[in-house]
Coordinates of all heavy atoms in Angstrom, one line a residue:
M1 N 0.8 -1.2 0.0 CA 0.0 0.0 0.0 C 0.9 1.2 0.0 O 1.9 1.3 0.7 CB -0.9 0.0 1.2 CG -1.7 1.2 1.4 SD -2.6 1.2 2.9 CE -4.3 1.5 2.3
L2 N 0.5 2.2 -0.8 CA 1.3 3.4 -0.9 C 0.7 4.5 0.1 O -0.5 4.7 0.1 CB 1.2 4.0 -2.3 CG 1.9 5.3 -2.6 CD1 3.4 5.1 -2.4 CD2 1.6 5.8 -4.0
F3 N 1.5 5.0 0.9 CA 1.1 6.0 1.8 C 1.8 7.3 1.5 O 3.0 7.4 1.5 CB 1.4 5.6 3.3 CG 1.0 6.6 4.3 CD1 -0.3 6.8 4.7 CD2 2.0 7.5 4.8 CE1 -0.7 7.7 5.6 CE2 1.6 8.4 5.8 CZ 0.3 8.5 6.2
T4 N 1.0 8.4 1.2 CA 1.6 9.7 0.9 C 1.2 10.6 2.0 O 0.0 10.8 2.3 CB 1.1 10.2 -0.4 OG1 1.4 9.2 -1.4 CG2 1.8 11.5 -0.8
E5 N 2.2 11.3 2.6 CA 1.9 12.3 3.6 C 1.7 13.6 3.0 O 2.5 14.1 2.1 CB 3.0 12.3 4.6 CG 2.8 13.3 5.8 CD 3.9 13.3 6.8 OE1 4.5 12.2 7.0 OE2 4.3 14.3 7.2
F6 N 0.6 14.3 3.3 CA 0.4 15.6 2.8 C 1.1 16.7 3.6 O 1.0 16.7 4.8 CB -1.1 16.0 2.8 CG -1.5 17.3 2.2 CD1 -1.6 17.5 0.9 CD2 -1.7 18.4 3.1 CE1 -1.9 18.7 0.3 CE2 -2.1 19.6 2.5 CZ -2.1 19.8 1.2
N7 N 1.9 17.5 2.9 CA 2.7 18.5 3.5 C 2.2 19.8 3.0 O 2.4 20.2 1.9 CB 4.2 18.3 3.2 CG 5.1 19.3 3.9 OD1 4.7 20.4 4.1 ND2 6.2 18.8 4.3
I8 N 1.6 20.6 3.9 CA 1.0 21.9 3.5 C 2.0 22.9 3.0 O 1.8 23.6 2.1 CB 0.1 22.5 4.7 CG1 -0.7 23.7 4.2 CG2 1.0 22.9 5.8 CD1 -1.8 23.3 3.3
D9 N 3.2 22.8 3.6 CA 4.3 23.8 3.1 C 4.7 23.5 1.7 O 4.9 24.4 0.9 CB 5.5 23.7 4.1 CG 5.2 24.2 5.5 OD1 4.3 25.1 5.6 OD2 5.7 23.7 6.4
I10 N 4.8 22.2 1.4 CA 5.2 21.8 0.0 C 4.0 22.2 -1.0 O 4.2 22.8 -2.0 CB 5.5 20.3 -0.1 CG1 6.8 20.1 0.6 CG2 5.6 19.9 -1.6 CD1 7.2 18.6 0.7
A11 N 2.8 22.0 -0.5 CA 1.6 22.3 -1.3 C 1.6 23.8 -1.6 O 1.3 24.3 -2.7 CB 0.3 21.9 -0.6
K12 N 1.9 24.6 -0.6 CA 1.9 26.1 -0.7 C 2.9 26.5 -1.7 O 2.7 27.4 -2.6 CB 2.1 26.8 0.6 CG 0.9 26.8 1.5 CD 1.3 27.4 2.8 CE 0.1 27.4 3.8 NZ 0.5 28.1 5.1
E13 N 4.1 25.9 -1.7 CA 5.2 26.2 -2.6 C 4.7 25.9 -4.1 O 4.9 26.7 -5.0 CB 6.4 25.5 -2.3 CG 7.2 26.0 -1.1 CD 8.4 25.1 -0.7 OE1 9.0 24.5 -1.7 OE2 8.8 25.1 0.4
V14 N 4.1 24.7 -4.2 CA 3.7 24.3 -5.6 C 2.6 25.3 -6.1 O 2.6 25.7 -7.2 CB 3.1 22.9 -5.6 CG1 2.4 22.5 -6.9 CG2 4.3 21.9 -5.3
W15 N 1.6 25.6 -5.2 CA 0.6 26.6 -5.6 C 1.2 27.9 -6.0 O 0.7 28.6 -6.9 CB -0.5 26.7 -4.5 CG -1.2 25.5 -4.2 CD1 -1.5 24.5 -5.1 CD2 -1.8 25.1 -3.0 NE1 -2.2 23.5 -4.5 CE2 -2.4 23.8 -3.1 CE3 -1.8 25.6 -1.7 CZ2 -3.0 23.1 -2.1 CZ3 -2.4 25.0 -0.7 CH2 -3.0 23.7 -0.9
Q16 N 2.1 28.4 -5.2 CA 2.8 29.7 -5.5 C 3.5 29.6 -6.8 O 3.4 30.6 -7.6 CB 3.7 30.0 -4.4 CG 4.3 31.4 -4.5 CD 5.1 31.9 -3.4 OE1 5.6 31.0 -2.6 NE2 5.3 33.2 -3.2
E17 N 4.2 28.5 -7.1 CA 4.9 28.4 -8.4 C 3.9 28.4 -9.5 O 4.2 29.0 -10.6 CB 5.8 27.1 -8.4 CG 7.0 27.2 -7.5 CD 7.7 25.8 -7.3 OE1 7.4 24.9 -8.2 OE2 8.5 25.7 -6.4
E18 N 2.8 27.7 -9.4 CA 1.8 27.6 -10.4 C 1.2 29.0 -10.7 O 1.0 29.4 -11.8 CB 0.7 26.6 -10.1 CG 1.2 25.2 -10.1 CD 0.2 24.2 -9.6 OE1 -0.9 24.6 -9.0 OE2 0.4 23.0 -9.8
A19 N 0.9 29.7 -9.6 CA 0.4 31.1 -9.7 C 1.4 32.0 -10.4 O 1.0 32.8 -11.2 CB 0.0 31.6 -8.3
C20 N 2.6 31.9 -10.1 CA 3.7 32.7 -10.7 C 3.7 32.4 -12.2 O 3.8 33.3 -13.0 CB 5.0 32.5 -10.0 SG 5.1 33.3 -8.4
E21 N 3.7 31.2 -12.6 CA 3.8 30.8 -14.0 C 2.6 31.3 -14.7 O 2.7 31.8 -15.8 CB 3.9 29.3 -14.1 CG 4.1 28.8 -15.6 CD 5.2 29.5 -16.3 OE1 6.3 29.7 -15.7 OE2 5.0 29.8 -17.5
E22 N 1.4 31.2 -14.1 CA 0.2 31.7 -14.8 C 0.3 33.2 -14.9 O -0.1 33.7 -16.0 CB -1.0 31.3 -13.9 CG -2.3 31.8 -14.5 CD -2.7 31.1 -15.9 OE1 -2.2 30.0 -16.1 OE2 -3.4 31.7 -16.6
A23 N 0.8 33.9 -13.9 CA 1.0 35.4 -14.0 C 2.0 35.7 -15.1 O 1.7 36.7 -15.9 CB 1.4 36.0 -12.7
R24 N 3.1 35.0 -15.3 CA 4.0 35.2 -16.3 C 3.4 35.0 -17.7 O 3.6 35.8 -18.6 CB 5.2 34.3 -16.2 CG 6.2 34.7 -15.2 CD 7.5 33.9 -15.3 NE 8.1 33.4 -14.1 CZ 7.7 32.5 -13.2 NH1 6.6 31.9 -13.4 NH2 8.4 32.2 -12.2
K25 N 2.6 33.9 -17.8 CA 1.9 33.6 -19.1 C 1.0 34.8 -19.5 O 1.0 35.3 -20.6 CB 1.1 32.3 -19.0 CG 0.4 31.9 -20.2 CD -0.4 30.7 -20.0 CE -1.3 30.4 -21.2 NZ -2.2 29.2 -20.9
E26 N 0.2 35.3 -18.5 CA -0.7 36.4 -18.8 C 0.0 37.6 -19.1 O -0.4 38.4 -20.0 CB -1.6 36.6 -17.5 CG -2.6 35.5 -17.3 CD -3.4 35.7 -16.0 OE1 -3.3 36.7 -15.4 OE2 -4.2 34.7 -15.7
A27 N 1.1 37.9 -18.5 CA 1.9 39.1 -18.8 C 2.5 39.0 -20.2 O 2.5 40.0 -20.9 CB 3.1 39.2 -17.7
R28 N 3.0 37.8 -20.6 CA 3.5 37.6 -22.0 C 2.4 37.9 -23.0 O 2.6 38.6 -24.0 CB 4.1 36.2 -22.2 CG 5.4 36.0 -21.5 CD 6.0 34.7 -22.0 NE 5.2 33.5 -21.6 CZ 5.4 32.8 -20.4 NH1 6.3 33.2 -19.6 NH2 4.7 31.8 -20.2
E29 N 1.2 37.4 -22.7 CA 0.1 37.6 -23.7 C -0.3 39.1 -23.7 O -0.6 39.6 -24.8 CB -1.1 36.8 -23.2 CG -0.9 35.3 -23.4 CD -2.0 34.4 -22.8 OE1 -2.9 35.0 -22.1 OE2 -1.9 33.2 -22.9
E30 N -0.3 39.7 -22.6 CA -0.6 41.2 -22.5 C 0.4 42.0 -23.3 O 0.1 42.9 -24.0 CB -0.8 41.6 -21.1 CG -1.3 43.0 -20.9 CD -2.8 43.1 -21.2 OE1 -3.5 42.1 -21.3 OE2 -3.3 44.2 -21.4
R31 N 1.7 41.6 -23.1 CA 2.8 42.3 -23.7 C 2.7 42.2 -25.3 O 2.8 43.2 -26.0 CB 4.1 41.8 -23.3 CG 5.3 42.6 -23.9 CD 6.7 42.1 -23.4 NE 6.9 40.7 -23.8 CZ 7.2 39.7 -22.9 NH1 7.3 39.9 -21.6 NH2 7.4 38.5 -23.4
K32 N 2.3 41.0 -25.7 CA 2.2 40.8 -27.2 C 1.0 41.6 -27.7 O 1.1 42.2 -28.8 CB 1.9 39.3 -27.5 CG 3.1 38.4 -27.4 CD 2.7 37.0 -27.8 CE 3.9 36.1 -27.7 NZ 3.5 34.7 -28.0
K33 N -0.1 41.7 -26.9 CA -1.2 42.5 -27.4 C -0.8 44.0 -27.5 O -1.1 44.6 -28.5 CB -2.3 42.4 -26.3 CG -3.6 43.2 -26.6 CD -4.6 43.0 -25.6 CE -4.8 44.4 -24.9 NZ -5.8 44.3 -23.8
W34 N -0.1 44.5 -26.5 CA 0.3 45.9 -26.5 C 1.4 46.2 -27.6 O 1.4 47.3 -28.1 CB 0.7 46.4 -25.1 CG -0.5 46.6 -24.3 CD1 -0.9 45.9 -23.3 CD2 -1.4 47.7 -24.5 NE1 -2.1 46.4 -22.8 CE2 -2.4 47.5 -23.5 CE3 -1.5 48.7 -25.3 CZ2 -3.5 48.3 -23.3 CZ3 -2.6 49.6 -25.2 CH2 -3.6 49.4 -24.2
Q35 N 2.2 45.2 -27.8 CA 3.2 45.4 -28.9 C 2.5 45.5 -30.2 O 2.9 46.3 -31.1 CB 4.2 44.2 -28.9 CG 5.2 44.2 -27.8 CD 6.1 42.9 -27.8 OE1 5.7 41.9 -28.3 NE2 7.2 43.1 -27.1
G36 N 1.4 44.8 -30.4 CA 0.7 44.9 -31.7 C 0.0 46.3 -31.7 O 0.0 46.9 -32.8
V37 N -0.5 46.8 -30.6 CA -1.1 48.1 -30.6 C -0.1 49.2 -30.9 O -0.3 50.1 -31.8 CB -1.8 48.4 -29.2 CG1 -2.2 49.9 -29.1 CG2 -3.0 47.5 -29.0
V38 N 1.1 49.1 -30.3 CA 2.2 50.1 -30.5 C 2.6 50.0 -32.0 O 2.8 51.0 -32.6 CB 3.3 49.8 -29.5 CG1 4.6 50.6 -29.9 CG2 2.9 50.1 -28.1
A39 N 2.8 48.8 -32.5 CA 3.2 48.7 -33.9 C 2.2 49.3 -34.8 O 2.6 50.0 -35.8 CB 3.4 47.2 -34.3
G40 N 0.9 49.2 -34.5 CA -0.1 49.8 -35.4 C 0.0 51.3 -35.3 O -0.2 52.0 -36.3
K41 N 0.2 51.8 -34.1 CA 0.3 53.3 -33.9 C 1.5 53.8 -34.6 O 1.5 54.9 -35.2 CB 0.3 53.7 -32.4 CG -1.0 53.4 -31.7 CD -2.1 54.2 -32.2 CE -3.4 53.9 -31.5 NZ -4.5 54.6 -32.1
D42 N 2.6 53.1 -34.5 CA 3.9 53.5 -35.2 C 3.6 53.6 -36.7 O 4.1 54.5 -37.3 CB 5.0 52.5 -34.9 CG 5.6 52.6 -33.5 OD1 5.3 53.7 -32.8 OD2 6.3 51.7 -33.1
A43 N 2.9 52.6 -37.2 CA 2.6 52.6 -38.7 C 1.7 53.9 -39.0 O 1.9 54.5 -40.0 CB 1.9 51.3 -39.1
E44 N 0.7 54.2 -38.1 CA -0.1 55.3 -38.4 C 0.7 56.6 -38.4 O 0.5 57.5 -39.2 CB -1.2 55.4 -37.3 CG -2.3 54.4 -37.4 CD -3.3 54.6 -36.3 OE1 -3.5 55.7 -35.8 OE2 -3.9 53.5 -35.9
I45 N 1.6 56.7 -37.4 CA 2.5 57.9 -37.3 C 3.4 58.0 -38.5 O 3.5 59.1 -39.1 CB 3.3 57.9 -36.0 CG1 2.4 58.1 -34.8 CG2 4.4 58.9 -36.0 CD1 3.0 57.7 -33.5
A46 N 3.9 56.9 -39.0 CA 4.8 56.9 -40.2 C 4.0 57.4 -41.4 O 4.5 58.2 -42.2 CB 5.4 55.6 -40.4
D47 N 2.7 56.9 -41.5 CA 1.9 57.3 -42.6 C 1.6 58.8 -42.5 O 1.7 59.5 -43.6 CB 0.6 56.6 -42.6 CG 0.7 55.1 -43.0 OD1 1.8 54.7 -43.6 OD2 -0.2 54.3 -42.8
K48 N 1.3 59.3 -41.4 CA 1.0 60.8 -41.2 C 2.3 61.6 -41.5 O 2.2 62.7 -42.1 CB 0.5 61.0 -39.8 CG -0.9 60.5 -39.6 CD -1.5 60.8 -38.3 CE -2.7 60.0 -38.0 NZ -3.9 60.7 -38.2
D49 N 3.4 61.1 -41.0 CA 4.7 61.8 -41.3 C 5.0 61.9 -42.8 O 5.4 62.9 -43.3 CB 5.9 61.1 -40.6 CG 5.9 61.4 -39.1 OD1 5.2 62.3 -38.6 OD2 6.7 60.7 -38.4
A50 N 4.7 60.8 -43.5 CA 4.9 60.8 -44.9 C 3.9 61.8 -45.6 O 4.3 62.5 -46.6 CB 4.7 59.4 -45.5
E51 N 2.7 61.8 -45.1 CA 1.7 62.7 -45.7 C 2.1 64.2 -45.5 O 2.0 65.0 -46.3 CB 0.3 62.5 -45.1 CG -0.8 63.4 -45.6 CD -1.1 63.2 -47.1 OE1 -0.6 62.2 -47.7 OE2 -1.9 64.0 -47.6
I52 N 2.6 64.5 -44.3 CA 3.1 65.8 -43.9 C 4.2 66.2 -44.9 O 4.3 67.3 -45.4 CB 3.5 65.9 -42.5 CG1 2.2 65.9 -41.6 CG2 4.3 67.2 -42.2 CD1 2.5 65.7 -40.1
S53 N 5.2 65.3 -45.0 CA 6.3 65.5 -45.9 C 5.8 65.8 -47.4 O 6.3 66.7 -48.0 CB 7.3 64.4 -45.9 OG 7.9 64.2 -44.6
R54 N 4.9 65.0 -47.8 CA 4.3 65.2 -49.2 C 3.7 66.6 -49.3 O 3.9 67.3 -50.3 CB 3.3 64.1 -49.5 CG 2.8 64.1 -50.9 CD 1.7 63.0 -51.1 NE 0.4 63.4 -50.5 CZ -0.4 64.3 -50.9 NH1 -0.2 65.0 -52.0 NH2 -1.6 64.6 -50.3
L55 N 2.9 66.9 -48.3 CA 2.2 68.2 -48.4 C 3.2 69.4 -48.3 O 3.1 70.4 -49.0 CB 1.2 68.4 -47.2 CG 0.0 67.4 -47.4 CD1 -0.9 67.5 -46.1 CD2 -0.9 67.8 -48.6
R56 N 4.2 69.3 -47.5 CA 5.3 70.3 -47.4 C 6.0 70.5 -48.7 O 6.3 71.6 -49.1 CB 6.3 70.0 -46.3 CG 5.8 70.2 -44.9 CD 6.8 70.0 -43.9 NE 6.4 70.5 -42.6 CZ 6.9 70.1 -41.4 NH1 7.9 69.2 -41.4 NH2 6.4 70.5 -40.3
A57 N 6.2 69.3 -49.4 CA 6.9 69.4 -50.7 C 6.0 70.1 -51.7 O 6.5 70.9 -52.5 CB 7.2 68.0 -51.1
L58 N 4.7 69.8 -51.6 CA 3.8 70.5 -52.5 C 3.7 72.0 -52.3 O 3.6 72.8 -53.2 CB 2.4 69.9 -52.4 CG 2.1 68.5 -53.0 CD1 0.7 68.0 -52.6 CD2 2.3 68.6 -54.5
L59 N 3.8 72.4 -51.0 CA 3.8 73.8 -50.7 C 5.1 74.5 -50.8 O 5.2 75.7 -50.6 CB 3.2 73.9 -49.2 CG 1.8 73.5 -49.0 CD1 1.5 73.5 -47.5 CD2 0.8 74.4 -49.8
G60 N 6.2 73.7 -51.0 CA 7.5 74.3 -51.1 C 8.1 74.6 -49.7 O 8.9 75.5 -49.6
N61 N 7.6 73.9 -48.6 CA 8.0 74.2 -47.3 C 8.9 73.0 -46.8 O 8.8 72.5 -45.7 CB 6.8 74.3 -46.3 CG 6.0 75.5 -46.6 OD1 6.5 76.5 -47.2 ND2 4.7 75.4 -46.2
D62 N 9.9 72.6 -47.6 CA 10.8 71.5 -47.2 C 11.5 71.8 -46.0 O 12.2 72.4 -45.4 CB 11.7 71.1 -48.3 CG 10.9 70.5 -49.4 OD1 9.9 69.9 -49.2 OD2 11.4 70.5 -50.6

């Protein structure tokens, strides 16, 4: 017969490690989401900068 003793201290360590890993996973997912948002905004800014440059060139305001 197998007898396993439950150790609350070990269980708490395992739960804490699992919680930390879950938090890391959520943080990675959130970071990826925000990196996409930032990349999209960077593209919008680049487009607006290009438009401003084009308009300045048309107006002779280089």
Side-chain angles (χ1 to χ4, degrees):
M1 175 186 233
L2 178 65
F3 178 79
T4 304
E5 183 177 323
F6 181 78
N7 184 321
I8 191 68
D9 293 328
I10 292 173
K12 285 179 182 178
E13 287 178 24
V14 170
W15 294 330
Q16 186 175 21
E17 289 172 15
E18 290 173 350
C20 287
E21 182 55 38
E22 182 64 25
R24 281 192 220 69
K25 179 182 173 186
E26 289 174 8
R28 284 190 298 268
E29 291 171 358
E30 190 70 15
R31 184 178 63 235
K32 283 182 184 180
K33 178 181 118 181
W34 283 108
Q35 285 173 337
V37 169
V38 169
K41 294 296 181 185
D42 285 346
E44 287 178 32
I45 290 168
D47 289 345
K48 289 179 192 259
D49 284 346
E51 180 67 8
I52 289 168
S53 294
R54 185 184 74 76
L55 292 171
R56 282 186 174 159
L58 285 173
L59 294 171
N61 296 335
D62 290 335

